[in-house]
Amino acid sequence: MAGKKLSDLTIGVLALQGDFREHLHALQQLGAVALPVKTAEEISRVDALIIPGGESTTISKLLRLFNLFDLLKTRIHEGLPVYGSCAGMIMLASAIDDPASGQECLGAIDIRVKRNAFGRQVDSFESDLDIAGITGEPVRAIFIRAPWVESAGAKVDILASVLIEGKCHPVAVRQGSAMATSFHPELTGDLRIHRYFLEELVGVEI
Ligand code: GLN
């Protein structure tokens, strides 16, 4: 997609549940045409897609209920650039450690994730992270009932990890045109992660 102009593209944000408005806002601040995505027609026509934070079980079940799951999976496997934050990371994984009954994931990134890995709601926390490919100050990362990556395949690049009780847990990963973060850059006003997605995965200059 290199050489494409951002203004010629439509960047979707899956808008079935979760904090999609914050992602739409971040994309708009970078000058993107940002579209809340709820239908098959919208999934078919976006040039890239963000899956927001929220509740991965609900997002998975709504995708099935509205008959969108297989279409989205096909588009991703055909190379649609995708970025998932928090619940979105779980959706993009190839396996879930502790899935809720009926919960499915899209298999865009060869990772096994552990849901609510850091503990329950009260254990949500913030941390300053060094992230490969992001220059300048460390990124302030907000984790809310976040997953982490339990294991990753050889084709997965680990972009950032956190150290918890002496063990390193990946919280930002990329595989080809798919990336995911355990945390929520859409909540901080720091646009560098969204910019990275648009520049490096979608292939536009901003
Ligand atoms: N714990 C949620 C889940 O399993 C994710 C939380 C979030 O997206 N902030 O889907």
Side-chain angles (χ1 to χ4, degrees):
M1 274 222 194
K4 291 219 170 185
K5 269 176 61 189
L6 181 59
S7 55
D8 291 339
L9 303 180
T10 302
I11 313 297
V13 181
L14 191 65
L16 301 178
Q17 190 267 342
D19 72 338
F20 55 89
R21 289 176 198 82
E22 288 79 358
H23 280 288
L24 289 166
H25 185 62
L27 289 169
Q28 283 157 358
Q29 283 183 293
L30 287 166
V33 179
L35 179 77
V37 167
K38 291 185 182 157
T39 65
E41 187 273 324
E42 288 158 350
I43 289 178
S44 300
R45 91 178 142 94
V46 291
D47 298 294
L49 185 74
I50 292 177
I51 303 180
E55 177 51 53
S56 55
T57 314
T58 307
I59 295 172
S60 154
K61 289 185 177 170
L62 288 174
L63 280 171
R64 276 286 174 219
L65 188 67
F66 299 138
N67 227 345
L68 302 173
F69 193 96
D70 292 330
L71 173 64
L72 178 55
K73 189 166 179 171
T74 300
R75 279 228 67 199
I76 290 172
H77 285 266
E78 285 170 356
L80 178 74
V82 282
Y83 164 42
S85 67
C86 203
M89 170 189 264
I90 298 166
M91 286 306 307
L92 292 180
S94 53
I96 304 170
D97 229 25
D98 46 357
S101 136
Q103 177 171 18
E104 297 173 87
C105 51
L106 294 157
I109 305 177
D110 186 14
I111 51 173
R112 186 163 58 88
V113 293
K114 183 176 170 68
R115 296 177 61 210
N116 304 327
F118 296 88
R120 303 225 155 260
Q121 193 80 36
V122 287
D123 292 322
S124 298
F125 73 101
E126 298 188 21
S127 168
D128 289 322
L129 279 186
D130 287 319
I131 303 179
I134 307 287
T135 51
E137 298 284 295
V139 172
R140 189 78 182 153
I142 302 178
F143 296 88
I144 307 167
R145 297 181 63 227
W148 67 41
V149 174
E150 279 281 303
S151 63
K155 291 187 179 149
V156 178
D157 290 324
I158 310 292
L159 305 179
S161 300
V162 291
L163 194 64
I164 307 271
E165 290 167 0
K167 275 191 80 179
C168 219
H169 301 283
V171 292
V173 289
R174 174 181 177 180
Q175 182 178 352
S177 56
M179 63 179 269
T181 62
S182 303
F183 53 90
H184 292 268
E186 72 280 10
L187 299 180
T188 61
D190 182 343
L191 300 173
R192 286 178 291 169
I193 300 282
H194 291 83
R195 177 186 282 266
Y196 176 93
F197 174 57
L198 294 175
E199 288 184 335
E200 302 297 326
L201 282 71
V202 183
V204 294
E205 272 179 37
I206 297 177

